[in-house]
Amino acid sequence: MKSLNLTALLLAAATATAAAQQADIEVDSLETIAVAPPAEPAEALSSSEPAQLEEIVVTAQKRSQSLQEVPISVTALDGGFIRETGAADLADVALYVPNVRVDADDLGSPQLFIRGFGTNAFNPSFESSVGFVQDDIFYGRPGYFTESMYDVDRVEVLRGPQGTLFGKNTIAGVFNVTTKNPTDTFSSDGRVTYGSFNTQRIDAGAGGMFADWGGARVAGLYRKEDGQLRNTFLNRDEEALEQKAARLKFRLFPFDSVTSDLMFQASDTSAPFWPYQLFKLDDDTRGYLEAFDAGVEDNPTNFRTQSDTAGFINKGSQTLGLRTQWAIGDIGSVHNSNAVLVLAGSRFHINQLNELDVSPADIARLDSHEHHEQLSAELRFAGETDTLFGLGDKVEFVAGGFVYDSRYQLRASINAGADIGSYLLTRDFCQLAGLPPGICGDGSNVSLPGLPIFGDITAPLIGPDNYAFDYLQDTLSIAGFGQATWHITERWAVTPGVRINREQKDVDSRGTPNCRLAVGDNPPCVISTLLMANAYDQRGLQRNEFDVSPKLVLQYFADTGVNLYGSYARGYKSGGFNSLSYTGEDLEFRPETADTFELGAKSEFFDRTLRFNATLYRTKFTDLQVLAFNGVFFDVSNAASATSQGLEGDFLWLTPWQPLQISGSFGLLDATYDDYRDAPAPVRDANGNLQIGALQDLSGKRIAFAPRQTASLTPQLSFPLPLGLGGRLAGDVIYQGDQFTDADLDPNTFVPAYTIYNARLTIANDDESLSLTIGGTNLGDKRVLNQVIDATFFPGTYFAQQANGRQLFVAIAAQF
């Protein structure tokens, strides 16, 4: 997509009123870890009134209610807190949320895990286990998680399953993002940030009501950074990134009781690709690669890599939505009734070229193009009655229907590089091909040299050579849902709910070898032979699924400020077909389901100066969808059942010393496979011997991406300064427990526990209209690996992805 032009966006939004939108989702906030907005320092110190926590009104159950009445495990971060911490994306936000992990370094295939469960989206067949909703619009591809995050009012994380009200593919939970809306009077705000590694960020928004019949808000983002990972072979930054985005919201009042919000937004992101480093090179692989670059190395924590392909990823989206709310009022015995209609349409694309061997040798590349289009509509009706057939107290309810129609297309190819001929004469290829050890050698000598000259000689003979994937998927989901809370007495309430969903997927899938010798259905092409792939053409594939997701909650409201709840909920993630199959066999995989029991407490103490919420849970997953590495690429299957159980909570304390407030979170997680007998085994056994394609029994073992403990602590001190200024000094202590980062639980993919420290100082005038923030993240420069996976083409070697080191930033913000 071409660079965004703000004038063009405004014109497009103004003329595109035939489609769909949303804007002001009723969700005001969920439990907020940071006071939002932060207290004005000078005023806070001089006030004689004791501070109290403000009541938070939420619509986590798609109707307005107090946070303390919401029987869901929820954490939310206020937009002001997000900006002050310097968070640039949802991965940064997730550090403050217990039992949640977001890995967004792969912009096209982010990985999200809640309570240890999530989806490796590298194979685009998989739909995310964590739903993404922004401004009441459901987005159906994982890549939307890495779209531009700006002009945000709050980010809410609802732990799953959330299938009753939010639908399919929320089996692990939902990220619910709400952006700012037009204010009653004109207002504007902006922030300019500059930081380490040439990080530049400008985001701003302005708007308000221009007449009694409507108003508007426009917002935009420009973000650019070089990143820390340096490619010394190509002399370029592999984590460089540029994002441009804009959003326009109209709020219209066509009738006294009707509010319509029209929204158009677009974003464009470009970056090099991939951000990986080699790890644990063996002698023969090192000897082969040193022939291409004498400086090749395998230190995974030095922010250096040596790949030869100038890869890239370009991604972007355009969304148009319309949200209309009609305040109906009383209808017979139903009071405060209202209807909401949300219509939305979105397009999303990813074009990428990345190197599959992450080395200075040109062995193979992945050229991939994804296009996604979706249309959605949700109509819901909410209200309340005085009793249920004369029994008990009031009943609050919401019911409605949802339709989602999408088309996803993938065209990708694995292309042979210029050095593929030399690779075919290496010990690594010999081992992958399963040839006898006597031919491959024992690694103590270079029995198969694999010299670069062999690639130069064979390249003209091999010519263009690739294996291509062509995948088309149409999805239609139709659901009806309903939920009601019956207040049996003043203290007791029960909430039943259910969602009935029917889905149909129609798929055409094809794999094709292409090369100079392409004669017949399965020609002897180099890449297809290396991948053990053959031609297939599967058209007219179809899946029809029917699911019922029930929910039942029992609540108790006490006089002490402690409200308790117990709940049961079921959710599911739909099945599908493998879009990256090499053989066309075993394409289909089943849906996975989850059943969760929770016991939770919502509490406020000490004259409403301490809010503490915690949840004890147990979740059982069945038919878990997994990716298994086969030595070259990933296969898709239903392979396991698993259980996750633990405790999570967060708190906000306005301490007796009024300038100090403390917030924090904690999570305890025990997530294990119940039954996973045919799991992929590490590529090397405990003695270092290769066992390519071997299986193992992981029943009873801890699953990957499931740290046993996570925690964060954020004290914030407000103090006065001369000239009517005030200051805030805040710091973060963020702890992540140890975890495996690959499904085979290879010890080499184990990441030990670590703690990082952040800090920031904000100086602002008395009304917070102008502020300066100086801060830093990972101040101890802790070197941490986000993920370690088996390397393609080099058995026994790994690809490592490194988390950010120390970064400093300065930001100037203004609001009027």
Side-chain angles (χ1 to χ4, degrees), residues 13 24 52 152 178 209 214 216 226 242 301-302 334 495 522 547 567 595 643 754 773:
D24 173 56
Q52 282 191 331
V152 170
T178 302
M209 294 298 153
D226 292 339
E242 185 175 28
T301 61
N302 64 355
V334 177
T495 303
N522 289 293
D547 178 78
S567 68
D595 295 272
T643 297
Y754 63 92
T773 300

Side-chain angles (χ1 to χ4, degrees), residues 9-72:
L9 290 178
L10 296 177
L11 181 60
T15 58
T17 54
Q21 137 78 70
Q22 103 121 115
D24 173 56
I25 180 172
E26 305 151 89
V27 185
D28 256 296
S29 173
L30 297 173
E31 79 194 62
T32 340
I33 288 181
V35 172
E40 298 174 8
E43 179 181 331
L45 287 175
S46 62
S47 173
S48 60
E49 293 295 326
Q52 282 191 331
L53 294 168
E54 296 181 0
E55 182 182 33
I56 301 173
V57 178
V58 306
T59 56
Q61 300 183 114
K62 298 199 174 183
R63 58 182 178 84
S64 296
Q65 59 186 140
S66 169
L67 165 69
Q68 299 309 103
E69 297 178 5
V70 178
I72 300 173

Side-chain angles (χ1 to χ4, degrees), residues 466-641:
N466 67 69
Y467 186 80
F469 306 93
D470 195 340
Y471 184 84
L472 178 65
Q473 176 177 289
D474 290 321
T475 302
L476 176 63
S477 293
I478 301 175
F481 60 89
Q483 179 175 295
T485 298
W486 178 28
H487 295 265
I488 305 172
T489 68
E490 187 179 78
R491 300 197 180 281
W492 292 93
V494 61
T495 303
V498 67
R499 190 183 192 96
I500 301 174
N501 190 88
R502 179 174 292 279
E503 177 175 287
Q504 178 174 311
K505 285 182 178 173
D506 295 283
V507 169
D508 294 333
S509 184
R510 183 172 62 205
T512 310
N514 301 288
C515 61
R516 182 167 290 171
L517 301 176
V519 177
D521 291 336
N522 289 293
C525 300
V526 173
I527 286 293
S528 60
T529 301
L530 183 63
L531 300 176
M532 295 176 286
N534 56 258
Y536 65 90
D537 190 354
Q538 300 274 13
R539 298 179 183 270
L541 300 172
Q542 188 176 94
R543 280 194 61 86
N544 287 283
E545 297 178 0
F546 177 80
D547 178 78
V548 178
S549 297
K551 175 182 180 179
L552 182 63
V553 183
L554 182 63
Q555 292 175 265
Y556 177 76
F557 303 94
D559 287 333
T560 59
V562 178
N563 301 326
L564 307 176
Y565 73 90
S567 68
Y568 162 77
R570 182 182 183 275
Y572 96 108
K573 183 175 75 169
S574 58
F577 300 90
N578 186 359
S579 61
L580 296 179
S581 173
Y582 296 136
T583 63
E585 300 175 354
D586 300 322
L587 287 178
E588 194 167 0
F589 55 91
R590 301 182 302 277
E592 66 182 34
T593 60
D595 295 272
T596 293
F597 294 90
E598 288 186 356
L599 291 175
K602 307 275 182 159
S603 57
E604 291 182 347
F605 302 106
F606 309 131
D607 195 24
R608 296 188 62 212
T609 59
L610 172 63
R611 177 178 296 128
F612 178 82
N613 296 337
T615 303
L616 185 69
Y617 70 89
R618 179 181 175 87
T619 300
K620 170 80 172 185
F621 271 75
T622 304
D623 283 333
L624 198 65
Q625 298 169 3
V626 296
L627 290 182
F629 188 65
N630 66 7
V632 179
F633 230 73
F634 296 93
D635 293 327
V636 176
S637 63
N638 295 91
S641 60

